[in-house]
Amino acid sequence: MQDIIDKVSELSEQNLYSCYQCGKCSGGCPSVSEMDLLPNQVIRLLQLGMPDDASNANTMWICASCFTCTVRCPKGVDIAKVMEALRQISLRKNVDYVEVREISAKEISILPQIALVSNFRKQTA
Ligand code: SF4
Ligand code: SF4
């Protein structure tokens, strides 16, 4: 498990142990209502050596990479980069988070194209 945590630190270039769980990141995140775990909870699980629990949550996929958390963190932890690192580690296993064929024609017709393109870039290997 430690190797995954080291990989997250390496890819994100963040010291996960700087986080002292103040919750400011989650307090400003616009996507928390859709997340299984709050961003600060993901960091805490990584600190505790539980990367599978962090990765099994939908948090990293729901993250919109808006950087609000990054700006708000008093410890300078770039959480958006941590979320990106978690996504990269998962996608490198060649597992897609979204399945193109499961998106209905209706959804494709009403969703903004930029959202679809962004989604596939971010959530498919
Ligand atoms: S804002 Fe920073 S220090 Fe506070 S919980 Fe989030 S990551 Fe940790
Ligand atoms: S970058 Fe992601 S985790 Fe951070 S505030 Fe934005 S949506 Fe939330």
Side-chain angles (χ1 to χ4, degrees):
M1 294 301 164
Q2 188 60 41
D3 55 333
I4 298 177
I5 295 164
D6 290 345
K7 198 71 185 170
V8 173
S9 298
E10 181 189 339
L11 287 172
S12 66
E13 300 177 305
Q14 302 303 303
N15 179 0
L16 301 172
Y17 300 100
S18 295
C19 168
Y20 61 175
Q21 290 294 302
C22 69
K24 283 196 73 176
C25 49
S26 302
C29 175
S31 306
V32 286
S33 63
E34 305 299 323
M35 292 174 170
D36 296 334
L37 293 173
L38 300 174
N40 68 290
Q41 291 175 319
V42 169
I43 302 283
R44 188 64 180 141
L45 286 171
L46 294 172
Q47 290 176 330
L48 293 172
M50 302 166 72
D52 288 347
D53 294 271
S55 299
N56 287 335
N58 70 355
T59 306
M60 62 178 166
W61 303 111
I62 296 297
C63 169
S65 305
C66 70
F67 294 98
T68 303
C69 52
T70 299
V71 172
R72 286 171 61 94
C73 179
K75 296 290 285 182
V77 180
D78 190 335
I79 304 148
K81 285 179 80 173
V82 174
M83 295 296 168
E84 173 64 14
L86 287 168
R87 286 192 296 271
Q88 287 301 317
I89 291 169
S90 180
L91 293 172
R92 286 177 186 182
K93 296 175 188 161
N94 216 22
V95 177
D96 294 338
Y97 183 66
V98 291
E99 174 54 60
V100 177
R101 282 165 293 199
E102 290 179 4
I103 301 176
S104 69
K106 184 180 177 193
E107 286 172 316
I108 290 174
S109 70
I110 59 175
L111 287 170
Q113 283 192 351
I114 189 70
L116 285 167
V117 171
S118 170
N119 200 35
F120 293 138
R121 285 181 60 190
K122 194 168 175 177
Q123 301 186 336
T124 61

